[in-house]
Amino acid sequence: RSPHRGRAPRYSAPSRARSSEVAVRKPMVMDRRCPLPTAHPGGSCHSPTPQSLTMRIAVIGSGYVGLVAGTCFAESGNTVTCVDIDEKKIEGLRNGVVPIFEPGLEELIKRNVRDGRLHFTTDYAEGMKDAQVAFIAVGTPPGEDGGADVKYVLSAAESIAKHMTCYTVVVDKST
């Protein structure tokens, strides 16, 4: 008996099989485009490989928060693309010019760019391609009322939604 008593549920949860029905689950397989488990008819379970234990991460914003976080994720073995709307900053990062000072950051950026784990772009489609996790690390300047102005966070979230190509966890890491 439904606990909603004639009202529509707020979300649609999977229905349970009645005693006369047999619940059939589709086997889980890894999608080559996005290595997260997805139900696929006729598939089988795959064991994770060392390559699937690393993630493809998009970091939106390449200021103090985003650049340091993205570089550390890359240093941990993940493939990271930092996305920023500032073309001059991205061009500088591609050429090894680090716009902020953080001890040791320049060396980490250069090593991870050289090793192909850290990338920089102004194109959301390129940055979000096959990203499993997207970190929003854009500024939240003070608004007119003194509270945080979240228009840049909302804009980044809309762009992520528009350009994501597979299941993506979105994390707000903005200051």
Side-chain angles (χ1 to χ4, degrees):
R1 191 177 221 198
S2 173
H4 303 289
R5 298 184 189 190
R7 295 186 317 248
R10 290 185 186 174
Y11 61 92
S12 47
S15 61
R16 295 180 186 230
R18 294 189 179 101
S19 59
S20 62
E21 298 175 347
V22 176
V24 178
R25 286 190 156 181
K26 295 179 180 177
M28 302 301 279
V29 297
M30 301 302 277
D31 182 335
R32 290 183 187 273
R33 186 180 56 121
C34 186
L36 295 176
T38 56
H40 188 295
S44 60
C45 293
H46 295 279
S47 299
T49 63
Q51 292 165 329
S52 70
L53 297 177
T54 62
M55 295 191 298
R56 287 183 302 280
I57 300 172
V59 178
I60 313 304
S62 57
Y64 282 97
V65 174
L67 187 57
V68 172
T71 302
C72 290
F73 293 141
E75 182 68 14
S76 298
N78 299 292
T79 301
V80 179
T81 302
C82 292
V83 181
D84 202 291
I85 59 172
D86 186 341
E87 292 180 16
K88 195 174 191 179
K89 182 189 289 185
I90 293 298
E91 191 58 37
L93 285 164
R94 287 178 177 160
N95 292 320
V97 178
V98 181
I100 61 173
F101 176 75
E102 187 68 36
L105 183 63
E106 186 173 350
E107 294 80 23
L108 289 174
I109 290 173
K110 287 180 179 178
R111 176 171 53 238
N112 285 284
V113 167
R114 182 193 66 222
D115 294 347
R117 290 187 302 265
L118 185 59
H119 311 275
F120 302 100
T121 186
T122 58
D123 180 15
Y124 268 90
E126 179 184 342
M128 288 302 301
K129 184 176 182 338
D130 299 332
Q132 296 165 290
V133 181
F135 284 85
I136 300 175
V138 297
T140 50
E144 291 179 13
D145 64 353
D149 181 352
V150 295
K151 67 182 174 192
Y152 301 115
V153 174
L154 297 175
S155 176
E158 288 174 6
S159 295
I160 288 169
K162 183 178 176 183
H163 293 95
M164 54 196 270
T165 59
C166 62
Y167 179 86
T168 305
V169 174
V170 180
V171 181
D172 184 9
K173 190 170 172 48
S174 294
T175 54

